[in-house]
Amino acid sequence: MSEILYDDKFKSGFVAVLGKPNVGKSTLINALLGQKIASVSHRPQTTRKVQRGILTLENAQIIFIDTPGIHKPRYKLGEKMNEAATQELDGCDVILFIADVTQLPNEEDTMLAKLLAELKNPTPIILALNKIDLISEQDLSITSKAYQALNPASSVVNISATQLVGLDLLLEYIINHLPISPPLYPEDQLTDAYERDLAADLIRESCLHYLQDEIPHGVAIRIDQFTERNQHGAYIEATIFVERESHKGIVIGKGGAMIKDIGSRSRLEIEQITGRKVFLRLRVKIRKNWRNDPKMLRWLGF
Ligand SMILES: Nc1nc2c(ncn2[C@@H]2O[C@H](COP(=O)(O)OP(=O)(O)OP(=O)(O)O)[C@@H](O)[C@H]2O)c(=O)[nH]1
Ligand SMILES: [Mg+2]
């Protein structure tokens, strides 16, 4: 670890990144860190578990808490995801509420605003209006007003997580709200997640990328083996759990074509994130209705 030089003005603290599914929370954290640590997809409910992303600057260390998008749950899994996200609000220094400006606030945004209004410990809220690259200025002013009316935010900032717009201003607002404190993590640490967990999440990300409809949401990944092959990289064996026999066939695909695509994409993503060569073997197993199975949810860490 390289040594952090900090003075009595150094700040550090926790920022809970909150919002409904698919608004760009994980994309934003990856963008701010300048490196991918969190899975992202075009589908809602990509993030299932809370993950910390650590950004160390000259004058501050910001610990972003990526949370699962809060939604109306249809399964026990969803309930647990909402609970996990809500728990993070207690004791953080700033709440970063992310909204997707391409849509007007819906029921889920209202639910979140209500949740924030009912917090026992009042915490400053920064409202980040994301995806401004997709919308005209005129429409932005309409949706921006609607989100501001919903949330009593201390500051509001327009951003695009994919185009890296507005991020410096956002960081400035966040740092303003952090307490004076020495860094809490080593300077070179980017996340609190273990490599095996990152690998599992990236395999799931690939499933979200290739599979249609409800199937990828019923997928869970188990890493069965993660061993180093000295200088040659890592060897990983993983099981993809699905909910039905028919889903198993779809995940494997004609002549194994689908699982091959999922495997290749996962391997490249894991190599990127872990910085070494990866050999990956995937298999598929059925675990009926696991999203409502308390044992399975406990196993997943909920
Ligand atoms: N055009 C555009 N797309 C964006 C922007 N930010 C995020 N996206 C896209 O929005 C989708 C959802 O992004 P995620 O980062 O997975 O969203 P999330 O809020 O973490 O979603 P959950 O984990 O499901 O709660 C992805 O397809 C992103 O590429 C942005 O600023 N502009
Ligand atoms: Mg996410």
Side-chain angles (χ1 to χ4, degrees):
M1 173 198 153
S2 49
E3 203 177 332
I4 299 177
L5 296 171
Y6 60 87
D7 55 22
D8 55 6
K9 291 197 198 82
F10 196 92
K11 290 176 150 194
S12 77
F14 293 88
V15 178
V17 183
L18 199 75
K20 69 183 174 190
N22 221 33
V23 293
K25 300 179 290 299
S26 303
T27 306
L28 174 65
I29 293 173
N30 289 338
L32 289 167
L33 264 51
Q35 195 185 315
K36 181 167 176 178
I37 59 144
S39 298
V40 164
S41 88
H42 62 289
R43 290 164 185 280
Q45 293 165 45
T46 300
T47 303
R48 270 190 193 153
K49 288 178 78 173
V50 169
Q51 185 187 349
R52 293 178 180 185
I54 304 148
L55 176 65
T56 307
L57 305 167
E58 247 168 48
N59 56 344
Q61 183 174 73
I62 312 172
I63 301 136
F64 292 98
I65 307 172
D66 191 5
T67 65
I70 292 189
H71 59 286
K72 273 194 141 179
R74 287 194 292 140
Y75 299 89
K76 279 210 178 71
L77 171 67
E79 282 171 30
K80 296 283 180 194
M81 284 160 58
N82 284 349
E83 272 170 32
T86 315
Q87 268 171 16
E88 293 303 327
L89 300 180
D90 202 25
C92 64
D93 299 292
V94 183
I95 293 169
L96 181 56
F97 186 104
I98 314 287
D100 177 345
V101 278
T102 63
Q103 310 161 355
L104 281 165
N106 67 5
E107 211 183 339
E108 284 171 332
D109 292 291
T110 315
M111 193 165 90
L112 271 165
K114 194 161 161 264
L115 184 84
L116 292 182
E118 286 167 356
L119 282 184
K120 275 192 224 102
N121 303 315
T123 308
I125 298 169
I126 298 175
L127 174 61
L129 302 169
N130 190 30
K131 308 198 186 182
I132 57 163
D133 54 295
L134 296 177
I135 187 171
S136 71
E137 259 179 47
Q138 207 175 6
D139 289 342
L140 173 61
S141 111
I142 297 169
T143 46
S144 164
K145 278 194 195 112
Y147 282 105
Q148 290 186 55
L150 204 61
N151 292 289
S154 341
S155 346
V156 183
V157 55
N158 294 336
I159 61 165
S160 166
T162 49
Q163 305 302 309
L164 310 182
V165 175
L167 305 190
D168 286 340
L169 187 61
L170 174 62
L171 287 177
E172 200 183 304
Y173 286 155
I174 291 172
I175 295 169
N176 281 344
H177 289 295
L178 296 185
I180 301 283
S181 153
L184 303 164
Y185 283 93
E187 181 183 5
D188 50 7
Q189 184 169 347
L190 283 174
T191 175
D192 65 334
Y194 292 104
E195 273 192 344
R196 330 173 47 103
D197 295 328
L198 293 174
D201 233 32
L202 290 169
I203 297 169
R204 204 166 56 78
E205 184 195 71
S206 291
C207 292
L208 284 160
H209 183 82
Y210 284 116
L211 299 167
Q212 302 297 318
D213 307 323
E214 186 60 18
I215 300 174
H217 293 297
V219 155
I221 311 297
R222 182 179 72 198
I223 303 292
D224 301 308
Q225 201 182 328
F226 195 130
T227 41
E228 299 300 327
R229 279 188 170 170
N230 43 54
Q231 316 91 314
H232 303 302
Y235 174 76
I236 305 173
E237 261 183 46
T239 302
I240 301 177
F241 288 105
V242 294
E243 292 194 307
R244 284 188 213 155
E245 186 71 50
S246 60
H247 292 180
K248 182 175 172 176
I250 293 167
V251 173
I252 291 169
K254 246 197 187 138
M258 178 59 89
I259 191 123
K260 203 170 152 207
D261 283 345
I262 292 171
S264 309
R265 187 183 185 280
S266 307
R267 184 175 53 75
L268 290 174
E269 289 284 333
I270 300 169
E271 283 178 347
Q272 279 259 325
I273 231 171
T274 63
R276 59 189 186 282
K277 209 165 166 44
V278 163
F279 301 85
L280 177 65
R281 267 190 73 174
L282 295 175
R283 64 169 75 82
V284 187
K285 280 191 180 164
I286 301 158
R287 196 68 176 250
K288 286 206 173 101
N289 197 25
W290 70 262
R291 278 183 286 177
N292 279 323
D293 177 352
K295 235 196 215 140
M296 219 26 208
L297 294 177
R298 183 169 289 261
W299 167 74
L300 273 172
F302 287 110

